[in-house]
Amino acid sequence: MPIKNLVVNCTDVQRSVEYYTKFLELPVVGEPTAERAVLDAVTATIELRAVGNGRDQTTWSPDDLQKGFRHIGFKVDRLDERAGVLKAAGVEFKLDPLDAEGKVRICFFYDPDGTLLEMIQGDLQYAAVLDADGVARERALGVPRRPRFDHVAVTIDDRDKTSEFYRDNYGFSFIGTIEQPHDQRGFRIGYLKGGDTVIEVFTYEVEKTSRAPQLDVAGFAYAELAGNPPDLPADTAPDGTEVYVDRDGFAFAVGSEV
């Protein structure tokens, strides 16, 4: 079962619509309002929701040693060209384009309200392939005609327990790993695939910090998965959606439709 939707809170929906349609070519689905807009990211939707609490009130940090949500990743073509357009427009970058482990090219940048986004070009070459069929399905998606949602990244404590939870409850398969041999923090990445989408999990051998999700503050709010409600703590989003929090502080809702 895939990730169906990602909810991103913003202080100005129209500004965010213009940003995502211009820089990531995500068309609007339906009629946007001042309170909400839905964008087509090919394999999932990105839902922009208006909130009154801005970027200065978030407890989220761009430090990957903070558990929970890290970034939203999009597969793209022409990464350097796209990054150049972003830079020319004054978009804030966390990481300029570079060749990364796994023989892909990546960069990281922020949306207008501080949600961290990634662009990835190329097929990952895994250090270890754990599900060859899953990797084959991923590569069969090919080079995107326009940016498509690929993954949401989270920092976690225990990869085995996280993999087991998302496998048993939502059918995600652990398809492969990437090593980071030059990172002295013991950084490793695992990939949990559901449908055409991925949960990218970061693990470290050093101490990490925790954070309670904030559903009414600008930035990433939660992902929506296909499936049934889990036996986990829940909170209520401003629109009334029941949102669950996993053992590492990652927030998600569930819906029955795939």
Side-chain angles (χ1 to χ4, degrees):
M1 295 181 181
I3 299 170
K4 298 166 49 182
N5 183 47
L6 296 107
V7 175
V8 177
N9 290 337
C10 51
T11 52
D12 184 330
V13 169
Q14 182 57 40
R15 178 182 66 173
S16 292
V17 167
E18 292 173 358
Y19 177 96
Y20 282 90
T21 56
K22 177 179 180 180
F23 297 122
L24 288 166
E25 300 178 39
L26 307 187
V28 177
V29 178
E31 190 66 30
T33 69
E35 298 301 317
R36 177 178 177 270
V38 177
L39 307 175
D40 176 9
V42 185
T43 54
T45 52
I46 305 294
E47 185 173 346
L48 305 172
R49 292 188 182 174
V51 293
N53 298 314
R55 184 174 181 177
D56 60 335
Q57 295 175 285
T58 184
T59 57
W60 181 85
S61 165
D63 182 355
D64 285 339
L65 293 180
Q66 182 185 68
K67 292 190 294 183
F69 170 76
R70 295 291 87 221
H71 65 262
I72 299 171
F74 296 89
K75 276 288 181 76
V76 303
D77 62 353
R78 301 178 285 109
L79 182 144
D80 287 270
E81 178 183 330
R82 294 179 183 280
V85 172
L86 288 162
K87 282 187 169 290
V91 172
E92 179 185 357
F93 270 64
K94 181 185 180 188
L95 183 69
D96 288 342
L98 56 75
D99 294 327
E101 295 291 338
K103 297 184 179 180
V104 291
R105 193 157 176 82
I106 65 173
C107 66
F108 288 89
F109 53 97
Y110 297 94
D111 84 353
D113 290 287
T115 301
L116 185 59
L117 308 176
E118 179 188 17
M119 291 194 293
I120 317 102
Q121 180 177 301
D123 289 327
L124 271 171
Q125 304 302 305
Y126 296 96
V129 172
L130 305 177
D131 178 353
D133 288 342
V135 172
R137 291 195 302 273
E138 177 183 78
R139 292 175 180 166
L141 292 171
V143 177
R145 295 181 180 179
R146 61 178 175 85
R148 71 165 180 262
F149 169 69
D150 180 70
H151 67 266
V152 59
V154 297
T155 292
I156 64 171
D157 262 333
D158 188 314
R159 194 161 67 187
D160 289 341
K161 290 182 179 178
T162 295
S163 174
E164 179 181 352
F165 174 81
Y166 286 100
R167 180 196 67 207
D168 293 350
N169 289 281
Y170 301 105
F172 281 75
S173 171
F174 192 175
I175 65 170
T177 64
I178 292 290
E179 301 299 322
Q180 301 288 340
H182 305 298
D183 194 317
Q184 297 182 351
R185 300 172 298 175
F187 178 30
R188 294 179 175 84
I189 308 176
Y191 295 85
L192 311 180
K193 185 172 179 61
D196 291 335
T197 63
V198 169
I199 301 174
E200 182 180 70
V201 293
F202 294 173
T203 56
Y204 296 87
E205 295 175 1
V206 296
E207 185 176 356
K208 295 168 287 294
T209 61
S210 299
R211 168 184 178 263
Q214 296 169 286
L215 302 180
D216 60 349
V217 171
F220 175 83
Y222 59 90
E224 185 178 358
L225 309 180
N228 297 311
D231 184 17
L232 284 176
D235 200 352
T236 304
D239 70 344
T241 300
E242 285 293 296
V243 177
Y244 302 91
V245 182
D246 74 9
R247 65 195 312 272
D248 297 295
F250 179 64
F252 65 94
V254 294
S256 59
E257 295 182 3
V258 177

